[in-house]
């Protein structure tokens, strides 16, 4: 058995991959509600005769394929939850669930891993080691599904883990990688300002929550621009400012919420403290009360150096890949980060820009779509990494990039 045999089998199974992806696209389920999707995945593995465990950490599904030869245990991960977005693509396989859509490519991730697993199972007698297929629920909504699946043993005995994201802004045929941080920690905060409302014609008798909130928004913008070392990337975004009143009423209260994105844990701690300090100072100066809550989401995705180098050598062998490129750090979050805190591994992007499209719709957009051929590239890359990781001399011979 050669890697070329794997590629040939994957190419022959491409139509199946597309069919699975489109079925899942038509039947999306929100985070922590993916009961039917999990059943579909479990049924698929039972049909092809693969050991499968369901309800792992919630709606997670884990399948294990044992090769006929000794070797390491390699995990591959795909997520399968959808988003609360009403689809506007008008494709024939558009979502049948109003207000719910696979707007991030998770349907493609699942189809990729299922078909790859089937083929690895067919070749298992000639393969070394063991392959763990982690189908994760609830990637889109913190605390996410990774934490609970890890606690429930999905990484038991695993030596290494690989994962990819079909990435619509990236040209088809490109695989991009990065050693160290590749995706940011994703946190959120909520602030309530309690002022003192009153008549719009008598501002001197009030503590205007809108004015105080506006000052606070501007003050928060100085955290990154004036308090964080410019060498360290960070984002503080106030995404919601709510203070509804009649046109002639000064707001009694205002609620602000937003997100913080960082790569460095020290910067993450600093920003959490700075927001509280600024909220206190701004409200103290205005003589009003406040409440502040900071919710930590996923940590940064930090790829391991040797495993990333290894992944690059694998991608360079894959047919259909025209470029293996260094990725810029992304401020988006991903709970694949938790797996990398427990075992070695790497997470990479597979170019999925739709054909004949100059500017693709971004992830989480109602018109989002992918180039389905990117699933084949993802399957080949993950399959190559999974099989060749067992070859210790190949691991030792990786050149540093």
């Amino acid at each position: 058995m050669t890697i070329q045999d794997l590629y040939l089998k994957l190419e022959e199974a491409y139509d199946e991959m597309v069919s699975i992806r489109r079925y899942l696209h038509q039947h999306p389920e929100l985070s922590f509600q993916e009961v039917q999707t999990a059943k579909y995945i479990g049924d698929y593995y039972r049909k092809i005769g693969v050991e499968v465990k369901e309800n792992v950490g919630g709606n997670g599904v884990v399948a294990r394929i044992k090769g006929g030869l000794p070797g390491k245990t390699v995990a591959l991960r795909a997520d399968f939850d959808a988003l609360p977005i009403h689809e506007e693509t008008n494709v024939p396989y558009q979502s049948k669930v109003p207000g719910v859509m696979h707007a991030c490519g998770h349907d493609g991730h699942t189809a990729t891993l299922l078909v790859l697993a089937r083929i690895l199972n067919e070749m298992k007698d000639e393969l070394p080691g063991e392959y763990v297929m982690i189908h994760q629920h609830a990637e889109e909504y913190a605390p996410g599904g990774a934490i609970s699946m890890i606690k429930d043993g999905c990484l038991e005995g695993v030596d290494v883990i690989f994962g990819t994201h079909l990435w619509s802004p990236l040209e088809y045929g490109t695989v991009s990688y990065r050693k160290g941080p590749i995706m940011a920690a994703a946190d959120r905060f909520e602030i309530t300002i309690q002022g003192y409302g009153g008549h719009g014609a008598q501002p001197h008798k009030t503590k205007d929550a809108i004015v105080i909130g506006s000052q606070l928004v501007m003050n928060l913008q100085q955290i990154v621009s004036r308090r964080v070392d410019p060498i360290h990337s960070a984002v503080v975004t106030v995404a919601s400012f709510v203070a509804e009143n009649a046109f002639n009423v000064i707001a009694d209260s205002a609620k602000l919420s937003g997100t913080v994105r960082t790569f460095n844990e020290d910067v993450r701690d600093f920003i959490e403290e700075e927001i509280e300090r600024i909220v206190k100072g701004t409200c103290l100066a205005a003589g009003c009360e406040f409440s502040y809550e900071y919710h930590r989401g996923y940590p940064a995705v930090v790829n391991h150096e040797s495993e990333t180098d290894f992944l690059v050598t694998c991608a360079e062998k894959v047919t259909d890949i025209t470029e293996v490129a260094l990725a810029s750090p992304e401020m988006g979050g991903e709970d694949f980060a938790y797996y990398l805190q427990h075992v070695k591994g790497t997470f990479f992007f597979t170019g999925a820009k739709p054909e004949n499209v100059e500017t693709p719709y971004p992830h989480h957009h109602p018109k989002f779509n992918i180039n389905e051929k990117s699933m084949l590239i993802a399957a080949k890359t993950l399959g190559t990494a999974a099989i060749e990781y067992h070859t210790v001399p190949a691991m030792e011979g990786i050149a540093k990039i």
Side-chain angles (χ1 to χ4, degrees):
M1 193 282 300
T2 67
I3 291 296
Q4 295 305 317
D5 295 327
L6 172 70
Y7 295 169
L8 180 60
K9 287 179 177 290
L10 284 170
E11 288 166 4
E12 292 172 347
Y14 174 67
D15 288 344
E16 179 190 5
M17 211 177 286
V18 171
S19 177
I20 292 172
R21 184 253 166 169
R22 293 187 177 188
Y23 174 83
L24 294 173
H25 194 89
Q26 288 182 301
H27 302 88
E29 293 179 296
L30 295 173
S31 303
F32 299 106
Q33 300 176 32
E34 321 93 326
V35 176
Q36 293 304 315
T37 307
K39 183 179 183 301
Y40 179 93
I41 294 167
D43 288 346
Y44 183 93
Y45 280 110
R46 280 186 287 272
K47 184 178 179 180
I48 63 174
V50 171
E51 174 190 346
V52 62
K53 181 180 180 182
E54 296 172 276
N55 302 313
V56 179
N59 292 328
V61 181
V62 177
R64 288 181 175 260
I65 299 168
K66 295 182 180 180
L69 304 171
K72 301 180 179 67
T73 299
V74 179
L76 304 176
R77 176 271 206 167
D79 39 17
F80 59 81
D81 56 328
L83 287 154
I85 296 172
H86 188 76
E87 185 164 2
E88 298 176 4
T89 60
N90 294 319
V91 294
Y93 51 90
Q94 183 162 311
S95 171
K96 294 182 177 181
V97 184
V100 183
M101 175 191 177
H102 272 294
C104 201
H106 296 186
D107 49 350
H109 300 167
T110 303
T112 297
L113 193 57
L114 286 175
V115 172
L116 175 60
R118 178 178 66 75
I119 292 171
L120 290 175
N121 187 56
E122 291 172 359
M123 306 168 76
K124 65 183 179 182
D125 291 343
E126 304 172 64
L127 295 177
E130 186 172 1
Y131 305 86
V132 181
M133 306 297 169
I134 298 175
H135 291 271
Q136 185 202 308
H137 62 298
E139 185 278 328
E140 294 288 3
Y141 195 81
I147 289 180
S148 58
M149 290 191 72
I150 292 168
K151 288 180 180 177
D152 207 5
C154 74
L155 292 179
E156 184 176 343
V158 169
D159 296 299
V160 69
I161 187 167
F162 299 103
T164 189
H165 203 308
L166 302 177
W167 206 243
S168 68
L170 191 65
E171 291 288 344
Y172 167 75
T174 301
V175 161
S176 66
Y177 66 94
R178 190 174 191 87
K179 291 183 279 190
I182 188 170
M183 298 189 78
D187 302 333
R188 65 185 173 91
F189 60 85
E190 297 172 353
I191 302 164
T192 298
I193 299 167
Q194 186 58 56
Y196 189 84
H199 198 292
Q202 297 177 320
H204 59 292
K205 295 181 179 181
T206 70
K207 296 174 182 177
D208 191 335
I210 289 180
V211 171
I212 299 164
S214 299
Q215 291 174 338
L216 181 55
V217 171
M218 297 308 296
N219 291 341
L220 291 176
Q221 300 312 302
Q222 296 179 41
I223 294 177
V224 174
S225 67
R226 289 297 178 269
R227 292 184 177 89
V228 173
D229 186 333
I231 297 300
H232 297 296
S233 299
V235 170
V236 176
T237 294
V238 177
S240 176
F241 188 143
V242 179
E244 293 187 42
N245 285 290
F247 79 97
N248 58 351
V249 176
I250 288 177
D252 183 65
S253 66
K255 294 183 178 181
L256 289 72
S257 62
T259 188
V260 174
R261 304 298 170 107
T262 55
F263 292 104
N264 182 286
E265 280 297 308
D266 290 336
V267 173
R268 191 183 192 186
D269 293 339
F270 173 76
I271 290 178
E272 179 179 355
E273 294 168 359
E274 278 294 284
I275 293 176
E276 183 173 19
R277 189 182 68 81
I278 289 171
V279 172
K280 281 183 178 179
T282 304
C283 291
L284 179 63
C288 66
E289 302 295 322
F290 72 91
S291 66
Y292 166 61
E293 293 183 10
Y294 191 93
H295 307 274
R296 293 219 166 195
Y298 307 149
V301 178
V302 182
N303 286 331
H304 294 258
E305 183 173 345
S306 294
E307 284 64 36
T308 305
D309 288 338
F310 168 71
L311 185 280
V312 170
T313 66
C314 292
E316 289 173 341
K317 299 176 183 178
V318 174
T319 54
D320 305 325
I321 292 181
T322 56
E323 183 179 12
V324 181
L326 182 65
S328 298
E330 290 286 342
M331 281 297 179
E334 238 286 355
D335 70 347
F336 193 87
Y338 292 120
Y339 300 112
L340 296 176
Q341 291 181 342
H342 288 78
V343 297
K344 298 177 181 178
T346 195
F347 189 76
F348 62 96
F349 298 116
T350 299
K353 182 178 178 181
E355 291 184 278
N356 305 315
V357 173
E358 182 66 27
T359 305
Y361 289 102
H363 290 251
H364 296 207
H365 189 282
K367 293 185 178 181
F368 168 84
N369 210 340
I370 60 169
N371 184 331
E372 290 177 317
K373 291 188 292 185
S374 64
M375 295 188 293
L376 190 55
I377 289 181
K380 288 180 178 180
T381 308
L382 289 170
T384 303
I387 293 171
E388 298 208 342
Y389 191 78
H390 301 278
T391 311
V392 176
M395 284 295 296
E396 294 176 344
I398 295 171
K400 296 300 178 185
I401 295 175

